[in-house]
Amino acid sequence: MIENDTLTRLEARLEALESRLAYQEHWLDTLDQALAGQAQRLERLERINELMQQRLRDQRQTLDALDAPGTGEADERPPHY
């Protein structure tokens, strides 16, 4: 009788451990998918950031070229002279 009771308890513990393991595996898969999604989003945001920085550099160069001395209308002699 004691042997049967021990076996029943061991089976119950084994089932509980298997259940916990399955639950943990499920959450690991869920976290892995979330992490992969975050990595993709981060890569996309980094690409957007690089493009925005390049656009800002281009705009700064354009503004600097327009404001460069000797190239603007401010250096031209007015028509009434």
Side-chain angles (χ1 to χ4, degrees), residues 29-72:
D29 289 341
T30 302
L31 290 172
D32 186 48
Q33 291 173 1
L35 182 61
Q38 289 292 324
Q40 289 175 351
R41 184 169 185 232
L42 179 60
E43 288 175 13
R44 188 171 49 249
L45 290 172
E46 286 174 341
R47 282 195 308 266
I48 290 170
N49 184 33
E50 289 173 14
L51 291 171
M52 296 293 283
Q53 287 181 4
Q54 184 60 46
R55 284 186 183 177
L56 286 173
R57 281 190 293 270
D58 293 345
Q59 288 178 356
R60 173 53 62 191
Q61 288 175 353
T62 301
L63 287 174
D64 289 345
L66 291 175
D67 291 339
T71 59

Side-chain angles (χ1 to χ4, degrees), residues 23-34:
Y23 182 75
Q24 289 175 355
E25 286 177 345
H26 167 74
W27 276 108
L28 282 175
D29 289 341
T30 302
L31 290 172
D32 186 48
Q33 291 173 1

